Amino acid sequence: ANRVYIGPEVQIKEGAILLPGCSIAHHSTIGELCSISDNATIGGNVFIHERTLIGLNATINRRVKVEHSKVIKSGETVYNDC
């Protein structure tokens, strides 16, 4: 799965990097200069602020807001705003 999946109504801001196998579900926003690592999964209606790193195989559940300059560790699952 070397492809990137981007659902409908997703906004990807300038300078964001999406690596192979990541998936971004509907109505989500990826902020400027974010990095979404290999095989990371972003649920629907997620807002990721600028300069955030989502690690390898991490999962962000739906309707979560991730503040700017956060690091979500590899394999981590995020259930609530952080």
Side-chain angles (χ1 to χ4, degrees):
N2 289 330
R3 296 184 178 170
V4 172
Y5 172 78
I6 301 173
E9 305 295 325
V10 169
Q11 294 183 15
I12 300 171
K13 304 293 183 168
E14 187 175 344
I17 298 170
L18 308 177
L19 295 175
C22 72
S23 176
I24 303 169
H26 62 91
H27 297 92
S28 293
T29 300
I30 308 301
E32 292 180 3
L33 303 172
C34 286
S35 181
I36 312 297
S37 295
D38 301 70
N39 301 314
T41 302
I42 311 298
N45 295 301
V46 169
F47 191 96
I48 300 175
H49 286 268
E50 67 276 354
R51 298 181 188 273
T52 292
L53 170 64
I54 308 297
L56 180 72
N57 295 316
T59 301
I60 311 295
N61 281 357
R62 62 189 181 131
R63 297 187 182 131
V64 168
K65 290 183 180 133
V66 179
E67 294 299 325
H68 64 84
S69 302
K70 288 282 187 178
V71 175
I72 305 301
K73 295 182 229 173
S74 294
E76 185 175 357
T77 298
V78 178
Y79 298 98
N80 300 305
D81 294 353
C82 61

